[in-house]
Amino acid sequence: MEDKESPYECRCAFNESICEMHRRFHEMMAEAGRAGQQILPVIRGVGIPVDVREIEGEVVVVADLPGMKSSDVTIRLTSPETLRITARRREVPEEAGEGYVIRERVSGEMTRTVNLPADVTDEGASAAFRNGVLTVRLKKVSGEEGIEIPIGEED
């Protein structure tokens, strides 16, 4: 097996074969492009669920972050078509004497990269956080890109 550096780090306590499978799966989803990125959170079953809407001159992203505060969340427009939401859930201290049968609520950092349906700008962007729901509003960039350069007549 060839040793290859990958941005899809395996942070698990499993053996090397599981980590290699994890890396290959994420690389395959990345190669699938936008479709792969949209299905990845569904396959994982964890993460930050989002709704993305395109309304007139803006793109609206709504994310569910139950039990979090606005200070636990950061939003970054990484490119005109990509928004990254990062949230840190604090670890819930274990109660002494409590015998968990199932423990699915995870703590730590969660990140969701959202591919937007149109190019947007950070100018006029706004975000609101209420009752564990984050709403981000981004203005769409006009359809024409760049600045038109006039063409002079040849002599």
Side-chain angles (χ1 to χ4, degrees):
M1 195 179 304
E2 127 187 8
D3 239 4
K4 191 166 137 178
E5 197 168 311
S6 171
Y8 307 104
E9 182 182 334
C10 184
R11 296 183 210 139
C12 59
F14 299 110
N15 68 29
E16 197 173 311
S17 298
I18 297 291
C19 289
E20 176 65 14
M21 184 174 67
H22 178 268
R23 182 188 63 76
R24 286 186 180 192
F25 173 76
H26 282 279
E27 287 175 354
M28 180 183 72
M29 288 293 112
E31 287 173 12
R34 189 177 293 241
Q37 293 305 312
Q38 289 175 339
I39 197 158
L40 195 56
V42 175
I43 292 170
R44 269 189 290 206
V46 297
I48 302 171
V50 298
D51 290 340
V52 180
R53 294 176 30 207
E54 196 170 355
I55 306 170
E56 295 175 16
E58 65 182 2
V59 173
V60 179
V61 178
V62 178
D64 284 342
L65 297 163
M68 296 204 184
K69 301 175 189 162
S70 60
S71 59
D72 299 329
V73 181
T74 57
I75 310 161
R76 183 172 305 278
L77 190 60
T78 58
S79 73
E81 69 277 346
T82 309
L83 179 74
R84 183 184 314 135
I85 302 168
T86 304
R88 180 165 263 318
R89 178 171 282 138
R90 300 177 202 298
E91 190 167 336
V92 178
E94 279 193 42
E95 295 84 19
E98 292 292 322
Y100 288 100
V101 176
I102 297 174
R103 188 160 190 183
E104 296 178 342
R105 297 181 309 142
V106 295
S107 60
E109 189 172 283
M110 296 180 283
T111 299
R112 176 71 187 268
T113 301
V114 181
N115 293 315
L116 304 172
D119 286 355
V120 298
T121 180
D122 60 344
E123 292 179 30
S126 67
F129 194 77
R130 184 174 179 173
N131 296 329
V133 178
L134 172 69
T135 302
V136 182
R137 293 182 172 282
L138 302 157
K139 301 280 186 219
K140 288 201 279 186
V141 176
S142 66
E144 295 181 20
E145 292 184 27
I147 299 170
E148 186 175 338
I149 300 172
I151 302 170
E153 292 294 321
E154 287 184 30
D155 292 329

